[in-house]
Amino acid sequence: VPHEGTKPRVPVVTYGVVALFCLFTLFFFRTRFGQQFRAMGQDPHVAAIAGIAVDRNRMIATVLSTVFAAWGQLLFLQNIGTLNTYSSHEQVGMFAIAALLVSGATVTRATVGQALLGTILFHTLFVVSPLAGKALAGDAQIGEYFRVFVAYGVITVALVLHAWQTARAERES
């Protein structure tokens, strides 16, 4: 908590890096290579028939996503003020998925706007849940249990709905 008379600090560099990643992603998916990635994501078999080197592009996509995930992990660790290098990667993946799904993204399609909105909504849950637990039950830990329940619940519901819709589409075709 800042002292009286001090100005709040804003992580300008962090916001700048996030903005650059968002702009790069938007730019990348408008390139020929990005269009190939999109085609592969929709149907790898059709992409291969169209002459796209699916295996090669999958390898490149994996490397790119790993590099972006590493930078995201560094930003996350820098902002929470700890360097738990052995298990933080497990937490960040679940948080990222939950944030995307909370914003309305689906298992097969997500946008930069949904990622930013989901981040804001999910971090708001981190702020509100302990306060709500304290106000409703007199214990902030109850709010933390609720937050974990909501995070895992959102992921579960999205995956179940995706599996149900996929099975339904296969039955209808």
Side-chain angles (χ1 to χ4, degrees), residues 6 18 25 31-32 41 52 58 61 66 72 77 83 96-97 106 110-111 115 121 124 130 146 150 157:
T6 61
V18 170
T25 302
T31 65
R32 181 172 177 255
I52 298 172
R58 255 195 204 146
T66 303
L77 293 173
L83 195 60
I97 292 167
T106 64
T111 65
L121 291 174
T124 301
F146 175 72
V150 167
V157 167

Side-chain angles (χ1 to χ4, degrees), residues 104-115:
T106 64
V107 175
T108 56
R109 187 174 186 319
T111 65
V112 171
Q114 287 170 328

Side-chain angles (χ1 to χ4, degrees), residues 93-107 109-126 146-159 161:
M94 191 268 300
F95 293 156
I97 292 167
L100 274 172
L101 295 174
V102 161
S103 70
T106 64
V107 175
R109 187 174 186 319
T111 65
V112 171
Q114 287 170 328
L116 294 174
L117 175 65
T119 301
I120 291 167
L121 291 174
F122 198 67
H123 283 300
T124 301
L125 187 64
F126 273 87
F146 175 72
R147 179 192 56 78
V148 170
F149 174 76
V150 167
Y152 283 116
V154 164
I155 294 171
T156 303
V157 167
L159 293 176
L161 285 174

Side-chain angles (χ1 to χ4, degrees), residues 8-63:
R9 295 174 42 181
V10 178
V12 176
V13 174
T14 302
Y15 290 145
V17 170
V18 170
L20 285 175
F21 281 153
C22 291
L23 291 172
F24 175 78
T25 302
L26 291 172
F27 168 75
F28 179 77
F29 278 105
R30 287 185 171 88
T31 65
R32 181 172 177 255
F33 208 43
Q35 293 298 322
Q36 289 179 355
F37 278 19
R38 186 171 299 166
M40 287 173 16
Q42 290 175 354
D43 192 342
H45 180 69
V46 172
I49 291 172
I52 298 172
V54 174
D55 290 335
R56 177 181 166 274
N57 285 353
R58 255 195 204 146
M59 203 176 330
I60 292 169
T62 302
V63 169

